[in-house]
Amino acid sequence: MIPPSPASVPEASLPTADRSLFHIISPKQFSRPLLDELCELTTAARTLAKSRHGARALQMLLADKRAMLYFSQPSTRTFLSFNNACHILGIRTSEIRNASTSSEVKGETVEDSIRTFSSYVDVIIMRSWEQGLAERAAEHMNSIPRPVPIVNAGSGKDHHPTQALLDIYTLDRSFSDRGGIDGKTIGLMGDLLRGRTARSLAYLMKNYSDVRLVFIAPSGFEMQDDIKSHLDEHKVEWYDTDQLEEVLPDLDAVYVTRIQTEWDDPDSPVQVDYSKFQIGLEQVKSMRSDAAIMHPLPRGPELHPAVDADPRAMYWRQERNGMWMRVAALLKTFGVDDQFRSIYQDHNIG
Ligand code: NCD
């Protein structure tokens, strides 16, 4: 059983809403008003795109812009959803998906590479193996005459802010008839030590009131202290367990993640018995009938494909939500959200 929640702490001390975005680097940038606004923009954009007229209007919004997708670490969903989000808004895209085909192999610094991209495009969306690289790129941009926004599409083991945004959107929608995310108990399971999606999502939870986080991980793979202290500072209740069966019936959502074996030392791969950290039909039986089962994907053995047919499985929706949330994030980054709103109103929806 999950221990009872302490007396609720109202989130009256939320920072004054700064709802502008230029670079998107870290979950630290997101206040509750900004998260709520992004969710609202996401729904509005996908609604507008349903009509051919609306889709055309969206495509004109940023038709004068170009984006660089600079992904030196593998990606399927994040790459494709950003690529398609750009196209929805009329942004033309170019890409580097393999650093060995760029001048980095000739010894060009990341700073010089990024500055070069900025000569040709209006936004750089980047994923890298290196923690903090997107932040470094943004700092560099801030020091040059024609800075373009940097969007972090995953930085090492550190953070994946736009994944966390789409996860928030999915949770919010899953709980839309139950008061949203506030007051919910959310389990994060798997490789919490090296999984950037779980780290970023846990970080954002400080924006919601009375949320309880249950970190379900094998010994040695627990959520790191930087996130835990941040949650403590913001009075978000959390606790660690390795007993999935015990906590599962109490969870409003379980966020399943895979073991991030790509970070293992090839000479001594980590040996862990992961069999107790899997969701299959048996586990799903003990979950609440209105629970949400999430996964950033790709999955491994931790989430059985038989679960896909269960109405509580949200991960395929998560993928699609990701494209629309990235449309919303780009609207903010280019500061065309108000323009978007008037187009939306002109189309007489809602
Ligand atoms: C995640 C990532 O790259 O961090 N995937 C994604 O972006 N949807 C999760 C993972 O690889 O486990």
Side-chain angles (χ1 to χ4, degrees):
M1 280 297 288
I2 293 170
S5 189
S8 84
V9 182
E11 282 277 274
S13 56
L14 275 174
T16 342
D18 173 8
R19 294 204 258 140
S20 60
L21 267 185
F22 185 62
H23 304 299
I24 303 178
I25 302 300
S26 147
K28 289 178 197 153
Q29 292 169 269
F30 297 94
S31 62
R32 177 68 182 267
L34 181 51
L35 291 170
D36 287 347
E37 186 186 351
L38 282 164
C39 288
E40 168 226 312
L41 286 170
T42 303
T43 302
R46 77 197 304 172
T47 310
L48 184 60
K50 283 197 169 91
S51 77
R52 185 177 292 205
H53 242 74
R56 248 195 242 122
L58 268 174
Q59 248 172 29
M60 292 311 295
L61 252 180
L62 292 168
D64 57 332
K65 303 293 182 208
R66 289 181 298 276
M68 173 78 197
L69 294 156
Y70 175 41
F71 277 55
S72 50
Q73 192 192 22
S75 172
T76 302
R77 276 149 286 269
T78 308
F79 178 85
L80 285 174
S81 61
F82 264 121
N83 202 31
N84 284 288
C86 285
H87 297 163
I88 286 167
L89 291 166
I91 305 172
R92 275 160 298 162
T93 53
S94 45
E95 63 193 63
I96 289 183
R97 301 205 62 180
N98 180 349
S100 72
T101 63
S102 79
S103 283
E104 272 179 55
V105 281
K106 299 181 192 164
E108 185 166 56
T109 62
V110 170
E111 279 78 4
D112 283 0
S113 295
I114 295 286
R115 183 160 186 175
T116 302
F117 302 153
S118 76
S119 306
Y120 307 123
V121 301
D122 306 286
V123 59
I124 298 167
I125 300 163
M126 60 184 283
R127 164 173 287 201
S128 72
W129 287 99
E130 203 181 317
Q131 175 162 338
L133 198 66
E135 193 168 356
R136 232 173 83 195
E139 273 162 19
H140 187 59
M141 276 297 119
N142 293 341
S143 73
I144 67 169
R146 185 188 172 275
V148 305
I150 302 287
V151 178
N152 180 2
S155 50
K157 292 177 250 181
D158 182 27
H159 277 298
H160 194 344
T162 61
Q163 175 74 40
L165 294 178
L166 76 92
D167 293 336
I168 287 288
Y169 180 70
T170 307
L171 285 168
D172 196 50
R173 274 171 89 91
S174 305
F175 303 141
S176 60
D177 52 0
R178 294 206 278 143
I181 298 173
D182 297 322
K184 299 297 180 293
T185 300
I186 298 168
L188 294 110
M189 181 176 87
D191 189 344
L192 305 182
L193 177 74
R194 306 177 294 182
R196 57 193 174 194
T197 61
R199 286 173 51 76
S200 290
L201 182 58
Y203 192 99
L204 282 187
M205 285 302 158
K206 64 134 182 262
N207 291 293
Y208 297 87
S209 24
D210 300 330
V211 165
R212 291 194 293 159
L213 296 180
V214 185
F215 298 135
I216 311 153
S219 164
F221 290 85
E222 290 92 354
M223 183 61 78
Q224 292 189 55
D225 288 342
D226 62 329
I227 300 291
K228 288 175 172 171
S229 349
H230 180 77
L231 295 171
D232 286 341
E233 262 170 54
H234 291 271
K235 312 270 186 292
V236 179
E237 193 196 344
W238 58 266
Y239 88 101
D240 280 321
T241 182
D242 60 2
Q243 300 298 316
L244 175 65
E245 265 85 38
E246 268 182 31
V247 296
L248 214 44
D250 292 321
L251 300 180
D252 294 295
V254 61
Y255 189 88
V256 187
T257 66
R258 71 182 172 90
I259 290 280
Q260 311 272 311
T261 47
E262 63 271 39
W263 298 106
D264 285 0
D265 173 353
D267 297 330
S268 58
V270 183
Q271 299 297 330
V272 53
D273 176 13
Y274 201 53
S275 57
K276 289 192 317 181
F277 302 90
Q278 297 183 351
I279 300 281
L281 290 180
E282 205 42 49
Q283 287 71 26
V284 164
K285 271 190 214 150
S286 69
M287 295 187 71
R288 290 174 57 118
S289 60
D290 53 3
I293 303 166
M294 314 252 297
H295 195 306
L297 302 175
R299 68 174 146 197
E302 69 283 351
L303 180 57
H304 199 282
V307 178
D308 296 9
D310 192 286
R312 290 165 286 189
M314 291 296 153
Y315 31 95
W316 300 113
R317 291 191 198 181
Q318 250 171 292
E319 277 193 338
R320 193 158 171 80
N321 290 344
M323 179 175 73
W324 293 111
M325 175 50 93
R326 284 166 176 137
V327 165
L330 289 165
L331 290 174
K332 291 296 288 181
T333 282
F334 283 106
V336 291
D337 43 311
D338 282 341
Q339 214 177 313
F340 163 77
R341 280 193 188 88
S342 49
I343 294 171
Y344 183 78
Q345 267 151 26
D346 289 349
H347 279 72
N348 285 324
I349 316 168

